[in-house]
Amino acid sequence: MHYSSPKKAKRRAGGGEGSSNVFSMFEQSQIQEYKEAFTIIDQNRDGIISKDDLRDVLASMGQLNVKNEELEAMIKEASGPINFTVFLTMFGEKLKGADPEDVIVSAFKVLDPEATGLIKKQFLEELLTTQCDRFSAEEMKNLWAAFPPDVAGNVDYKNICYVITHGEEKEE
């Protein structure tokens, strides 16, 4: 019997151009956070983010009228099916040389398709207390004390992003 060398098999399994080094672009903790985000978006848990997955996750965040063309444009940003390695590569390409504030603002913009610069307090609180690294009641209290929502229950996320990246330097 002839067995092929495990080294050759591993190299072949590596897949497409440059896929092996995408994991070296991120810290292990970041990869874990991206994996959690991927899992949330991959609504049907088949290991590939599809148009239906995007539609479902956006609907779960209250975005019910996303046009088919918008979803197709999102999917077409990838060269093929969006598995976790492709997902990570897409983020790696977007984050190369990016300003941390822009990166954080861009993350919030996903939750703000109308580009109002605001996000509902209730929605943000639900995300922060139920997904990934969950915030405690105390952490939520501190967040709202630092960034009080307006009378309509909206939070200015650009202000949050600025303070996260620059520290708090309010002029009195």
Side-chain angles (χ1 to χ4, degrees):
M1 254 191 186
H2 179 72
Y3 295 102
S4 67
S5 155
K7 279 184 184 160
K8 275 186 185 162
K10 258 190 197 136
R11 201 174 302 124
R12 209 175 303 121
E17 238 342 79
S19 64
S20 58
N21 71 351
V22 67
F23 291 93
S24 65
M25 292 173 60
F26 298 99
E27 303 283 326
Q28 193 57 46
S29 61
Q30 290 175 302
I31 292 172
Q32 187 55 42
E33 286 173 10
Y34 281 118
K35 186 67 180 167
E36 288 176 18
F38 180 86
T39 303
I40 291 167
I41 298 168
D42 181 20
Q43 294 272 299
N44 64 6
R45 303 289 183 264
D46 67 352
I48 303 286
I49 294 176
S50 66
K51 202 164 59 171
D52 288 335
D53 290 327
L54 287 176
R55 186 188 320 283
D56 292 347
V57 79
L58 288 166
S60 75
M61 298 187 307
Q63 303 305 320
L64 303 174
N65 299 318
V66 182
K67 292 183 180 68
N68 226 15
E69 297 78 46
E70 293 176 77
L71 296 170
E72 281 170 15
M74 290 181 206
I75 293 295
K76 282 184 183 150
E77 284 190 39
S79 54
I82 305 174
N83 62 21
F84 181 63
T85 304
V86 171
F87 181 77
L88 203 57
T89 304
M90 290 170 74
F91 273 97
E93 288 167 359
K94 290 216 185 300
L95 296 178
K96 249 184 224 152
D99 172 26
E101 185 176 1
D102 291 343
V103 172
I104 299 169
V105 169
S106 294
F108 274 104
K109 280 183 180 172
V110 170
L111 309 173
D112 178 27
E114 279 88 50
T116 61
L118 302 170
I119 186 171
K120 286 281 179 205
K121 171 189 184 267
Q122 186 181 350
F123 175 58
L124 185 58
E125 187 162 328
E126 184 182 326
L127 276 180
L128 293 175
T129 56
T130 63
Q131 305 295 325
C132 304
D133 289 334
R134 295 174 175 90
F135 276 46
S136 67
E138 181 72 14
E139 288 169 320
M140 290 311 307
K141 196 177 102 187
N142 293 339
L143 179 69
W144 302 138
F147 305 102
D150 65 17
V151 291
N154 295 310
V155 180
D156 177 356
Y157 62 79
K158 289 179 179 164
N159 184 29
I160 295 174
C161 297
Y162 181 85
V163 173
I164 288 171
T165 55
H166 295 87
E168 205 157 359
E169 291 177 24
K170 285 185 180 163
E171 291 181 27
E172 295 301 317

